[in-house]
Amino acid sequence: MDEQLFFNKLDNLCTSKEIFCFLSSLEVMSDTMASRALQRISEVEVDDSGLKNPGLFENEVFRALCFQFEFGSSKLSNTGLLNALQALIKLRIDPQSTLMTSLLSESEERLGRGQLTADSLCALGESLLELEGPSCTTLEQIVDYMQERDIERWSPREIVMVYKILQVTVREGKQCQNLLNRLNSVTLHTVSQLSPNFASVILNSLVVLRQTQAVPLVTALCKHSVKHVPYFTDHELVNVLEAFLYFGQKVQIFTEALERHVPKSILTMHPQTVSKVMQYCCKKMILSKPIFDAVAEDFISSADRLTTDQIAAYIIPFGTLNYLPPSASSLFRKLETVLHTRLKHFQPHTLLNLLHSCVLIQRYPVNFLPKIFSPYFLQKLQAQPPGLNTVAMSQLTQLFLTVTLECPFYEGPKLLSKYQVKACPMPHRSSDVHLLKRVKTGLLYLLKKRIYFASEVSTPYFYVVDIEIKLDEEGFVLPVAQLEEVHRRIALCVDGRNRFCAHSHSLLGEEAIKQRHLQLLGYEVVQIPFFEIESLQNNRKMADYLQKKIFPSTYGVRN
């Protein structure tokens, strides 16, 4: 039978029984036909859970195919030899069997004699990676042979194969950086030709090899990934998201592609992939309501099947980005149910992060705080890296402050003072220095003297106020140093872009809870957001704005 006709017929067969029946009807076939038959058998008989039908190894036709490859390996073409090797590896044939030993030995002999083409080298490299992993010394030999060929003429498959080999043999890339520089440069010109799988593999390799200097290639790959979002497998999408996070890439059209893909695909997505999507949104401060709403619905229906780390990954971004989805009541009811049944299975820091994120959006885990504040839990927290560091103690303090201010009905254990911090360490959420300076200049223009306001004031209650102004009972502005006759305290929150979700006017959870608590502590909170003052062009306009914002009726200063 003509080979192409054989391949076409083979590809239309969907079970090993049909394939064996078809092969039995042939009197003779080439080794490339036989190896393709093995490949087709592996395609229909192997899925994510492994081999569907172990009994196929006893089939007479299958055994005859294997016999042909075992005892005639030296007569096989490179294509037949290496395709058969790949298929048998996929079928989980024992690597120590005489069949596999014969094929591997013949492949490595041809490699040593320099008889393998670039395509064959790729096929052998893929097989050895699958079979022996990073410890295989032959992989470096394959890379050496590949380098002897004109790298500018490599196909996408050859490029991907070398990245995969370097990823497991070199790791950080220091030993082969010259080769990597050439490879990165060549790959840049082939990006548009890359399949979803190839793009994902290369991005993953660039992360593992720490190719932070390959900015043009990374940028091109990330932009190229946009059109592949609907076609990535779960594993491929995770690789791409990890690359976006590692290299600090933020491509708006990629997020938009995720927003179209995730809501309609979430029911079939692996929980780890959903977790990575949420981590991407959280790290990039992207409040995507379509994604968050879909994840909330998915959590309500599938929370019982999630690991504790996945539960935290699903929920924490809601608090971080200060968002309550339409299904919030069902979402947090489900979370409470899960916590009641699985509380002891959570790692201490994971549980603390989860409960802290809840209070940011006014969901109060009062039933679980006695455990959090207990000496036993705090000891476990201390024992697990990173221990009771500043972040953990700040979260504990904020939890305690929340129940004190917002849950007066809470009567459980209190957080011991030795576990409380006096000031909230949020350097990444600190005030925008340039914006703060402009507001202070405007206040000076308005109030005439610097004594009437203070900046970056530490309160006795954990929070730092960007600008504080004191008023007496008649509404006159007092010098900030004055302690008597203070009737009102105004806290100006000068909120730069870093306190908002990306491309949004929605405050992050940390800033929202701070402003809420300052109000409960007796401050009059006045928000000065960046988007209201960035366009004010001079001190007079800034002063006019501040007067209307802080003193809407009238004001004066007390000498």
Side-chain angles (χ1 to χ4, degrees):
M1 180 180 285
D2 173 72
E3 278 197 355
Q4 194 55 53
L5 179 61
F6 173 85
F7 295 150
N8 291 341
K9 286 195 172 187
L10 190 63
D11 287 341
N12 288 322
L13 303 177
C14 299
T15 67
S16 56
K17 184 177 179 181
E18 291 176 348
I19 296 170
F20 292 142
C21 184
F22 171 55
L23 297 179
S24 299
S25 69
L26 302 176
E27 291 184 9
V28 66
M29 57 181 157
S30 67
D31 67 324
T32 52
M33 293 163 72
S35 66
R36 183 68 190 94
L38 281 176
Q39 284 188 313
R40 186 61 186 151
I41 292 167
S42 72
E43 288 166 5
V44 300
E45 286 294 345
V46 178
D47 58 19
D48 291 340
S49 56
L51 190 65
K52 297 178 188 176
N53 175 26
L56 74 88
F57 296 152
E58 303 304 319
N59 181 278
E60 289 182 8
V61 178
F62 182 81
R63 292 168 72 90
L65 283 172
C66 292
F67 184 87
Q68 178 181 342
F69 286 104
E70 182 176 345
F71 294 100
S73 61
S74 62
K75 300 174 185 175
L76 300 173
S77 66
N78 285 345
T79 302
L81 172 67
L82 293 163
N83 284 354
L85 183 60
Q86 286 185 314
L88 294 168
I89 289 171
K90 190 172 181 180
L91 286 165
R92 309 288 195 272
I93 301 295
D94 182 6
Q96 305 303 320
S97 66
T98 53
L99 168 62
M100 294 295 284
T101 304
S102 175
L103 295 179
L104 282 167
S105 175
E106 179 63 27
S107 301
E108 291 179 2
E109 283 181 21
R110 294 188 191 187
L111 172 66
R113 294 195 296 264
Q115 294 177 322
L116 298 183
T117 63
D119 196 55
S120 297
L121 286 169
C122 289
L124 179 57
E126 288 167 355
S127 296
L128 293 174
L129 275 173
E130 181 71 26
L131 202 60
E132 300 182 36
S135 61
C136 178
T137 55
T138 310
L139 291 172
E140 293 185 24
Q141 194 178 349
I142 291 174
V143 173
D144 290 340
Y145 274 107
M146 291 292 287
Q147 287 190 75
E148 293 174 6
R149 290 164 166 76
D150 185 359
I151 190 170
E152 278 74 21
R153 300 179 66 180
W154 285 1
S155 69
R157 184 190 179 196
E158 291 159 9
I159 289 171
V160 167
M161 188 66 254
V162 174
Y163 272 118
K164 286 169 75 172
I165 292 175
L166 291 176
Q167 177 178 333
V168 298
T169 58
V170 183
R171 306 303 287 180
E172 291 188 27
K174 291 173 184 173
Q175 301 164 25
C176 287
Q177 193 56 57
N178 288 337
L179 171 60
L180 276 165
N181 290 341
R182 290 170 61 207
L183 192 57
N184 293 343
S185 177
V186 169
T187 306
L188 180 60
H189 301 293
T190 64
V191 166
S192 61
Q193 306 169 38
L194 297 177
S195 66
N197 175 258
F198 284 179
S200 169
V201 168
I202 293 173
L203 277 171
N204 180 242
S205 296
L206 293 173
V207 170
V208 174
L209 293 164
R210 302 186 182 181
Q211 296 297 290
T212 50
Q213 79 289 347
V215 176
L217 175 57
V218 170
T219 303
L221 284 166
C222 287
K223 289 180 179 177
H224 179 68
S225 297
V226 173
K227 69 178 183 180
H228 291 319
V229 166
Y231 311 108
F232 284 128
T233 65
D234 280 328
H235 178 68
E236 290 165 359
L237 182 55
V238 167
N239 282 346
V240 172
L241 289 166
E242 285 178 343
F244 267 84
L245 290 169
Y246 180 79
F247 291 110
Q249 290 283 316
K250 186 188 285 186
V251 180
Q252 181 62 26
I253 53 175
F254 179 80
T255 302
E256 291 167 3
L258 281 178
E259 289 181 334
R260 292 189 296 271
H261 174 66
V262 173
K264 65 184 180 184
S265 307
I266 196 163
L267 294 178
T268 57
M269 290 174 73
H270 192 280
Q272 203 56 39
T273 309
V274 179
S275 299
K276 186 59 68 174
V277 170
M278 291 301 276
Q279 182 191 5
Y280 167 80
C281 290
C282 196
K283 294 277 188 185
K284 300 287 185 184
M285 301 301 169
I286 298 168
L287 175 53
S288 168
K289 293 182 181 180
I291 293 175
F292 278 49
D293 292 349
V295 170
E297 293 291 345
D298 187 53
F299 183 87
I300 292 165
S301 62
S302 66
D304 296 325
R305 300 193 298 271
L306 302 180
T307 66
T308 53
D309 283 343
Q310 288 166 354
I311 290 168
Y314 274 51
I315 298 297
I316 288 173
F318 286 93
T320 303
L321 302 186
N322 189 29
Y323 179 63
L324 286 172
S327 58
S329 57
S330 299
L331 174 67
F332 287 96
R333 191 160 53 244
K334 183 65 178 180
L335 176 61
E336 184 165 13
T337 302
V338 170
L339 286 173
H340 272 299
T341 56
R342 300 172 63 185
L343 192 68
K344 65 182 179 182
H345 298 130
F346 281 84
Q347 290 295 315
H349 281 279
T350 304
L351 183 59
L352 177 59
N353 289 335
L354 178 59
L355 298 186
H356 176 258
S357 72
C358 291
V359 302
L360 298 181
I361 42 177
Q362 296 177 278
R363 290 298 181 267
Y364 309 113
V366 288
N367 293 328
F368 309 104
L369 291 180
K371 174 184 174 67
I372 296 295
F373 295 153
S374 71
Y376 174 69
F377 179 82
L378 294 170
Q379 286 170 10
K380 286 176 66 178
L381 204 60
Q382 175 73 67
Q384 182 196 27
L388 270 172
N389 61 2
T390 309
V391 173
M393 291 182 69
S394 297
Q395 289 176 324
L396 287 167
T397 304
Q398 204 161 37
L399 274 172
F400 178 63
L401 196 57
T402 298
V403 293
T404 304
L405 294 173
E406 302 184 62
C407 307
F409 51 86
Y410 174 75
E411 296 179 350
K414 310 294 184 188
L415 180 67
L416 296 176
S417 58
K418 68 178 181 178
Y419 296 112
Q420 298 178 33
V421 292
K422 293 182 179 179
C424 175
M426 292 194 297
H428 57 303
R429 303 281 171 260
S430 59
S431 56
D432 181 318
V433 176
H434 175 67
L435 212 60
L436 186 62
K437 184 178 180 181
R438 288 193 61 204
V439 172
K440 289 195 292 186
T441 303
L443 276 176
L444 188 58
Y445 190 93
L446 178 66
L447 301 176
K448 308 305 180 190
K449 291 184 180 179
R450 185 65 178 80
I451 62 170
Y452 291 114
F453 62 92
S455 60
E456 298 178 287
V457 179
S458 294
T459 69
Y461 311 105
F462 180 66
Y463 297 109
V464 174
V465 174
D466 293 331
I467 295 176
E468 184 181 52
I469 297 172
K470 297 177 180 178
L471 306 180
D472 66 10
E473 194 168 0
E474 297 174 26
F476 284 96
V477 180
L478 297 170
V480 287
Q482 186 167 325
L483 302 176
E484 298 83 21
E485 300 179 9
V486 178
H487 187 67
R488 295 160 57 198
R489 292 176 184 265
I490 297 176
L492 267 59
C493 294
V494 183
D495 294 329
R497 293 178 185 274
N498 62 340
R499 293 183 180 175
F500 292 87
C501 300
H503 311 296
S504 165
H505 293 173
S506 175
L507 277 176
L508 295 170
E510 286 281 6
E511 186 62 22
I513 195 174
K514 169 187 168 181
Q515 295 186 17
R516 195 166 72 238
H517 283 179
L518 286 174
Q519 282 185 314
L520 292 169
L521 288 164
Y523 284 91
E524 292 179 30
V525 175
V526 177
Q527 189 187 10
I528 311 291
F530 74 93
F531 51 84
E532 289 183 359
I533 60 176
E534 276 189 337
S535 61
L536 301 178
Q537 296 169 349
N538 54 50
N539 291 339
R540 175 178 286 281
K541 289 184 177 180
M542 177 67 81
D544 290 344
Y545 166 85
L546 291 171
Q547 181 179 343
K548 291 174 185 174
K549 195 85 175 182
I550 307 168
F551 313 107
S553 51
T554 184
Y555 79 101
V557 295
R558 182 74 71 189
N559 295 320

